Amino acid sequence: MTWNFRLVKHAERHPRRVWYGVHEVFYTDTGKPWTMTQNPVTIDGESVKEVWAYLKMIRQDLKRLSVLDA
């Protein structure tokens, strides 16, 4: 099973609100999105270098992949 980071658009009805979050999205063997993390990812690490590396991974995925609807 593969996964990556995706920007996900959330639309709430009450109150009416649209917001975006970065989620880990997991795919079927045929490459279709199957599931994602319930909550957006948090950016953390044990060092500044680790946080920057994590942000770089996220940015690379978001640049090449389209936004998903929740």
Side-chain angles (χ1 to χ4, degrees):
M1 179 183 309
T2 61
W3 69 276
N4 53 33
F5 296 105
R6 296 289 293 265
L7 192 58
V8 178
K9 179 182 178 182
H10 297 266
E12 298 175 3
R13 292 183 183 198
H14 303 288
R16 190 175 188 107
R17 178 172 91 113
V18 174
W19 60 278
Y20 295 82
V22 176
H23 292 261
E24 292 177 359
V25 175
F26 299 85
Y27 298 84
T28 65
D29 291 338
T30 59
K32 294 187 180 198
W34 173 62
T35 190
M36 69 179 183
T37 53
Q38 182 175 0
N39 297 312
V41 298
T42 57
I43 309 301
D44 61 5
E46 294 183 11
S47 68
V48 172
K49 185 176 180 178
E50 203 172 276
V51 170
W52 280 110
Y54 193 48
L55 287 168
K56 183 179 178 182
M57 276 186 355
I58 292 170
R59 185 170 183 260
Q60 288 173 341
D61 285 348
L62 298 187
K63 282 175 60 175
R64 67 183 179 83
L65 299 165
S66 62
V67 176
L68 292 178
D69 288 319

